[in-house]
Amino acid sequence: MLYAWPKSYHLIMVILLATFGYLGYQVSEYRTGPDERVTYFLENTEIIQRRQLRDLPETTIPFYGDSLVHGLAVSRADSSLENFGIGHDYSENLLNRVREDLQYRQFLEYAVAIGINDLGRGVTVGDLYQKYYCYC
């Protein structure tokens, strides 16, 4: 018979894993920083996603973000959402992506979830908020 852990245990484990994952990310990002492979990955994924923009219905809601969105099944939350997350992305690049994407296609709504990579690079929450506030 399998032992069922209490739900509070699962919540504590998720919090611990997220905390240690974030701390590990900060250390590795501080030591290495973005390299040519990451830049290559970002640029090529952006190209692919811009091709996808042309074929989407007008009612689609592009969901922009970093790796947390990239690996997320956003269409399961709402069938009108389309995943435009890119791992390793950061807020400044994402805002540039949205500006450029608007040249290719207009949508009624956009969803954005980003910030973990910025925080890992030492950007404060206030700076992130200011970037988005000024953009809107």
Side-chain angles (χ1 to χ4, degrees):
M1 181 173 184
L2 294 174
Y3 177 76
W5 293 98
K7 290 187 185 230
S8 60
Y9 175 80
H10 291 277
L11 179 60
I12 292 169
M13 289 304 296
V14 167
I15 291 170
L16 287 174
L17 287 172
T19 302
F20 286 121
Y22 174 72
L23 292 174
Y25 171 81
Q26 277 190 317
V27 169
S28 68
E29 191 66 22
Y30 175 75
R31 288 184 184 161
T32 60
D35 62 15
E36 292 175 13
R37 293 173 293 180
V38 170
T39 303
Y40 178 83
F41 171 76
L42 283 169
E43 290 171 354
N44 284 290
T45 306
E46 288 174 26
I47 291 168
I48 292 167
Q49 288 182 352
R50 286 208 181 88
R51 290 179 187 158
Q52 292 172 328
L53 281 173
R54 296 181 207 147
D55 298 327
L56 296 175
E58 217 175 89
T59 56
T60 300
I61 301 170
F63 197 124
Y64 288 94
D66 50 28
S67 59
L68 298 177
V69 172
H70 192 158
L72 193 62
V74 296
S75 61
R76 293 203 54 198
D78 186 327
S79 61
S80 62
L81 291 172
E82 186 70 32
N83 194 322
F84 281 89
I86 301 178
H88 299 282
D89 208 357
Y90 52 97
S91 62
E92 190 173 332
N93 188 62
L94 181 133
L95 294 174
N96 289 333
R97 277 200 296 144
V98 172
R99 281 186 196 106
E100 191 163 332
D101 288 354
L102 287 173
Q103 295 174 7
Y104 293 95
R105 188 70 190 274
Q106 293 288 326
F107 290 96
L108 299 174
E109 298 177 79
Y110 292 85
V112 174
I114 196 157
I116 191 76
N117 296 329
D118 293 285
L119 295 174
R121 292 183 176 119
V123 177
T124 67
V125 174
D127 290 342
L128 283 173
Y129 177 78
Q130 191 64 29
K131 281 182 190 179
Y132 287 106
Y133 183 75
C134 290
Y135 179 76
C136 298

